[in-house]
Amino acid sequence: MARKKEIDVTKLNYILYARKSTEDKGSQEHSIDDQIKDCKALAKREGLHIRKIVREEKSAKAPNNRPAFNEMLEEIKAGRYDGIIAWHPDRLSRNSLEAGIIMDLFDKEIIKDMKFPFCRFENDSSGKLMLNILFALAKQYSEHIAEGVLRANDNRLPEGKSSGAPKWGYNRNLNGFYEPDDNFDLVRKGWEMKLDGKGNKEILKFWLQSGMEKKTKITRKNKKQRIIKPNINTPTKVFEDSFYYGVLVQAEQEVDLRLVVNDFKPMVTEEEYNQVQAIIAANPHGKTGKTSKKNRATFYPLRSMVRCGVCGSVMYPGASKSRNGERYLYYRCDNKHCAREARSVRAKVIFDEIYRALDSLSFSEREYKIYSKRIEKLSDEELIRLRTERRSLQGRHSNISANISRITNEVLPNLQESNKKAREIEQNKLAGLETDLVEIEERLKVLDDKIDRAKEVIVSKDEFLNLLKSLPQQMRNSSVAEKDAIARICILNLKIDNEKRPHFLWKEPFATLLEGKEFTVGARYET
């Protein structure tokens, strides 16, 4: 048996890590200052050298959520520090991934020692076992808290109560139910402007000029009340939210407030909400331009989907007449530097090729199995994409949180009370950042829902068969708008080569089904 390697801890350089997150129960957990005080007392008793102190106010229940923790590990790997002092192992991690990283670094002797004031730890096999157990208990405690919160939210939602930031135009009463606030009429006016065809920027300008704002609650973490004003993203969030006509969606559930809350006051009718969704679909960015009313009303299918196969530019749609007076739709490359010979191609050429491709779809047990395996693989790829996007959002969340902390703790305290203009600028900046933070948290909830549903994309064999049989004829018989919608379901994008031949990049399951198919014109699939 290998003997335990003796280490002179008085010659090691330690980094002190102190953490407290919003999930910690106030007075039941030591504050960061108290943790640092206890750790320093330990270092003094045992003659340890603390070279750096790291403070962090982040939850440790999920990995990759703590920039200061990650930076600490990188500095230890670089050899700048030898050991860690923390108040308790649960300050270091409450998730399996980061607990495993710590133990791996410890096994490799990159982390040479760890010390905890009220948790004795020996650098041997028994000590490592104890540390693993404490990490596991911390993870279980964190999951227990999360389950309790979710259970509470799930139980409250059917009653018409919800958690999170209140909606614009509403607040929650003492019983937890939504009721109109001082902004209700202003937000309602925004809906009316949207129905009249006004753009998001114009609506946002109206809200800001009218003084629309809301105040945050004073909590144990946020000692001061903040003023939040609408930003460029607010109109989009408001106009896409079904809550405003009465359907509250949250935590993978939805409830019709009109049925469960006696005095709930919807801001718009369901019909008005649906009208706005149609307006958004036609103009997703909510912009207003200087084009004529006639041009704005014209709908062109496959807009932004058709690209020039020679230069890669988007080919713009337009309408024209042939010599015999027949009207037709075409797509044209307007890039002056493109070497393309025929600048335009008729839409009929593109749609005929789509029809032919869909007609060729045939169904068999073998193809269904191929499709299922392909979709399962793609669902795994989709999970990776969603988790990558989630990490990106978490990074933005951390960055915004750091800016909020900097303005709150450094910038505002150092500004003179007499400098009202500078204080107002920083306070408005702070309000905008806090709004962005709330919106990112809502987006993270949406991503979590998508991640949970990523494995539910495979349809049954019967559904699959009916889809393939009916789709080609359904598309032929559809209106222009319906053709466009179906094409966007089937095709990611398409290119027109110099001989006016369409080359399609198909979405699943069509990409898999069209593998091996051959056409005299066009291409079945590109990678």
Side-chain angles (χ1 to χ4, degrees):
M1 179 182 296
R3 298 178 61 185
K4 185 180 76 171
K5 185 177 180 180
E6 296 294 336
I7 299 175
D8 185 354
V9 295
T10 62
K11 295 182 179 179
L12 300 182
N13 294 319
Y14 287 86
I15 187 167
L16 192 163
Y17 181 80
R19 179 189 66 82
K20 180 177 173 64
S21 77
T22 53
E23 72 182 27
D24 296 329
K25 296 182 179 179
S27 60
Q28 295 181 15
E29 293 284 355
H30 267 42
S31 70
I32 286 181
D33 288 338
D34 288 338
Q35 292 176 42
I36 293 174
K37 181 180 178 181
D38 291 338
C39 289
K40 283 184 174 180
L42 168 68
K44 185 175 181 180
R45 287 195 307 270
E46 299 191 8
L48 309 178
H49 301 293
I50 297 174
R51 302 304 185 188
K52 183 177 180 179
I53 296 176
V54 175
R55 297 168 170 258
E56 190 150 53
E57 295 188 8
K58 293 286 184 180
S59 170
K61 69 179 181 182
N64 301 317
N65 188 44
R66 296 178 290 162
F69 174 82
N70 293 335
E71 183 179 347
M72 175 183 72
L73 292 185
E74 291 302 317
E75 289 180 323
I76 291 173
K77 291 176 186 177
R80 286 191 280 274
Y81 306 101
D82 305 304
I84 301 173
I85 300 178
W87 188 75
H88 190 277
D90 68 3
R91 299 300 87 195
L92 293 176
S93 178
R94 284 182 174 176
N95 67 83
S96 300
L97 177 61
E98 289 173 340
I101 292 172
I102 292 172
M103 293 307 300
D104 182 62
L105 293 176
F106 194 61
D107 286 338
K108 294 176 179 177
E109 298 186 358
I110 295 173
I111 297 177
K112 296 180 175 60
D113 189 42
M114 282 186 277
K115 297 289 186 182
F116 310 99
F118 301 102
C119 173
R120 297 301 301 175
F121 169 72
E122 296 295 334
N123 187 0
D124 55 20
S125 58
S126 298
K128 291 178 182 179
L129 176 62
M130 182 205 72
L131 194 57
N132 272 310
I133 292 172
L134 290 174
F135 279 143
L137 289 173
K139 180 177 182 295
Q140 189 273 338
Y141 171 74
S142 178
E143 290 175 346
H144 178 71
I145 292 175
E147 288 170 359
V149 172
L150 289 174
R151 193 180 302 112
N153 289 341
D154 289 347
N155 292 336
R156 287 162 53 89
L157 194 62
E159 301 174 3
K161 304 175 183 179
S162 71
S163 59
K167 310 286 186 177
W168 280 100
Y170 292 84
N171 57 26
R172 295 193 191 93
N173 59 28
L174 295 177
N175 295 320
F177 295 107
Y178 276 105
E179 60 184 12
D181 66 5
D182 294 340
N183 294 318
F184 185 89
D185 291 337
L186 290 175
V187 181
R188 168 62 197 175
K189 178 63 177 177
W191 280 90
E192 293 173 357
M193 294 172 69
K194 191 70 176 178
L195 287 166
D196 288 338
K198 299 295 190 297
N200 287 359
K201 287 186 178 180
E202 185 175 354
I203 295 170
L204 176 61
K205 182 179 179 180
F206 164 73
W207 282 341
L208 292 172
Q209 289 179 341
S210 301
M212 191 168 97
E213 62 183 30
K214 56 184 177 181
K215 298 178 180 179
T216 61
K217 291 183 178 180
I218 297 177
T219 64
R220 185 179 288 108
K221 181 180 179 182
N222 300 313
K223 306 297 184 183
K224 297 181 180 179
Q225 192 173 58
R226 307 295 181 195
I227 296 176
I228 299 177
K229 296 184 178 182
N231 62 26
I232 191 64
N233 297 316
T234 304
T236 300
K237 299 286 290 185
V238 168
F239 298 137
E240 292 181 354
D241 196 341
S242 61
F243 162 83
Y244 288 95
Y245 80 83
V247 176
L248 177 61
V249 179
Q250 186 174 308
E252 299 183 14
Q253 298 184 70
E254 63 179 56
V255 60
D256 194 330
L257 300 178
R258 298 167 296 182
L259 301 179
V260 301
V261 182
N262 292 330
D263 56 351
F264 176 73
K265 183 179 179 180
M267 186 171 291
V268 296
T269 66
E270 188 168 352
E271 291 74 19
E272 288 173 326
Y273 173 82
N274 291 338
Q275 290 176 33
V276 168
Q277 303 321 297
I279 292 171
I280 292 172
N283 185 10
H285 301 293
K287 295 180 180 179
T288 54
K290 297 182 180 180
T291 55
S292 67
K293 184 177 181 181
K294 179 180 178 181
N295 287 338
R296 288 200 304 269
T298 302
F299 177 84
Y300 292 117
L302 308 184
R303 188 188 293 271
S304 300
M305 287 182 66
V306 183
R307 289 188 172 272
C308 174
V310 178
C311 70
S313 301
V314 172
M315 298 181 73
Y316 295 99
S320 186
K321 284 185 180 181
S322 64
R323 292 180 180 178
N324 60 10
E326 178 187 1
R327 291 187 61 82
Y328 65 89
L329 176 67
Y330 66 88
Y331 296 88
R332 178 181 177 86
C333 177
D334 288 334
N335 181 3
K336 296 180 180 179
H337 304 290
C338 180
R340 182 181 196 87
E341 295 176 3
R343 286 287 176 179
S344 63
V345 60
R346 291 197 181 194
K348 184 178 184 300
V349 173
I350 297 172
F351 279 98
D352 282 348
E353 283 305 298
I354 296 176
Y355 302 149
R356 292 177 62 191
L358 296 179
D359 283 336
S360 74
L361 296 176
S362 59
F363 176 82
S364 69
E365 185 74 24
R366 176 180 172 276
E367 285 180 310
Y368 180 74
K369 289 180 179 179
I370 293 173
Y371 150 76
S372 300
K373 290 180 180 178
R374 175 66 172 160
I375 288 296
E376 187 173 353
K377 179 181 178 183
L378 283 176
S379 65
D380 291 338
E381 293 171 356
E382 177 69 357
L383 275 172
I384 293 173
R385 186 191 68 79
L386 290 172
R387 285 173 176 151
T388 300
E389 184 178 352
R390 193 179 193 281
R391 285 197 295 270
S392 175
L393 281 176
Q394 288 174 329
R396 287 183 56 196
H397 189 284
S398 298
N399 181 263
I400 291 173
S401 298
N403 284 330
I404 290 174
S405 177
R406 180 180 60 80
I407 294 174
T408 303
N409 300 322
E410 300 175 18
V411 178
L412 288 177
N414 292 326
L415 285 175
Q416 299 295 327
E417 291 292 336
S418 58
N419 196 347
K420 294 183 178 180
K421 183 64 176 178
R423 292 188 67 84
E424 182 180 354
I425 291 173
E426 293 300 327
Q427 286 170 345
N428 287 341
K429 188 186 300 182
L430 186 63
L433 289 171
E434 290 175 332
T435 301
D436 290 342
L437 204 63
V438 171
E439 290 173 350
I440 286 176
E441 289 168 351
E442 292 298 323
R443 287 178 63 187
L444 285 170
K445 291 179 183 178
V446 172
L447 275 177
D448 287 339
D449 182 62
K450 288 183 178 180
I451 290 170
D452 290 340
R453 298 172 184 271
K455 289 289 185 181
E456 300 176 5
V457 295
I458 301 179
V459 300
S460 69
K461 189 192 305 180
D462 291 338
E463 291 173 325
F464 188 59
L465 175 59
N466 292 332
L467 169 68
L468 298 183
K469 283 184 175 180
S470 63
L471 190 59
Q473 195 58 40
Q474 181 182 345
M475 190 172 189
R476 282 186 171 92
N477 298 337
S478 297
S479 66
V480 174
E482 290 169 337
K483 290 180 191 291
D484 176 80
I486 295 173
R488 292 180 187 276
I489 292 173
C490 303
I491 300 168
L492 186 62
N493 60 52
L494 59 98
K495 295 179 181 179
I496 309 298
D497 66 19
N498 217 4
E499 283 77 38
K500 298 187 178 182
R501 292 179 303 190
H503 296 257
F504 303 107
L505 178 58
W506 296 89
K507 294 181 179 179
E508 290 294 351
F510 306 99
T512 295
L513 290 170
L514 289 166
E515 282 189 43
K517 305 294 182 184
E518 294 183 359
F519 307 107
T520 55
V521 180
R524 53 159 189 88
Y525 184 56
E526 290 182 354
T527 57

